[in-house]
Amino acid sequence: MRSAVSLRGVSFGYQPGRYVLRDVDFEVETGGYTAVIGPNGGGKSTLLKIMLGLLEPWTGTVEVLGLPPARARHRIGYVPQASGAVLDFPVSALDVVMMGLPGGRSTKRARSAALSTMERLGIAGLSGMHAGSLSGGQRQRAFIARALVGSPEILLLDEPAASVDPEGQESFYELMAELNRTVTIVMVTHDVGAVSNHVKTIACLSTVMVSHGESLETEAVARAYGCSVDLVSHGTPHRVLGKHEGRGGND
Ligand SMILES: Nc1ncnc2c1ncn2[C@@H]1O[C@H](COP(=O)(O)OP(=O)(O)O)[C@@H](O)[C@H]1O
Ligand SMILES: [Mg+2]
């Protein structure tokens, strides 16, 4: 089966000589559902931007849907990491969802596509609401609707559950499972405990790919947990990296 996402030997940094990703292999099969976990600054958001073709790796190859990522971008839905920016300008929830369409314009067709996506996510009733007055969970669904409105084959989400209250989490994971029937999902998250019950594979990234495997395999899950346990016990990503210097650490 062809992979939806395939990275081979990818290295990248924002400054010369400072690796953010080092020799990373990463594979998501079509229909897959993968969580990417790891310490702060481990390169998770950077990895998503490389899959979107927004950043060009120093070395290695990236294929998305069998194509160079920039050419596949219109077939990828992306929910960026919440910036904390206030949605203070006068846009409705419906406007936010329509931004996910090429041109982002408020044509009749765009409106009806946006509305039916919002219906699917159970937020059609919010369409006229000022985007800035949505709750965390409602805003999250509006951003997911924006990512889905163009009918992508792959959905990339960067810490989507961060701003959702605990009661909202379970219905969020139910929604993801339902979407995963038709869309390949890659989700960056801190919430290892929650995701390990839901996703099909887990990748633990700390500049190097520490582990990458089926979430149901206890050993892989344990090692994945180890990745975040290390973070708690040692404090800094560099100490975590120290353990893996055999495969290439930073600095
Ligand atoms: N635009 C940028 N310019 C320079 N450094 C950056 C930029 N974005 C991220 N970084 C750095 O790259 C590293 C990885 O960041 P990021 O991919 O956001 O990690 P994560 O999402 O795992 O927390 C961090 O050290 C961060 O400070
Ligand atoms: Mg991030």
Side-chain angles (χ1 to χ4, degrees), residues 227-247:
C227 183
S228 51
V229 171
D230 279 348
L231 176 67
V232 172
S233 54
H234 298 308
T236 69
H238 282 265
R239 289 296 297 277
V240 178
L241 274 175
K243 278 181 59 184
H244 304 287
E245 261 158 13
R247 296 179 53 197

Side-chain angles (χ1 to χ4, degrees), residues 40-41 43-46 81 158-159 188 190:
N40 260 325
K44 304 181 296 297
S45 296
T46 301
Q81 191 164 357
D158 200 344
E159 298 193 26
V188 168
H190 278 302

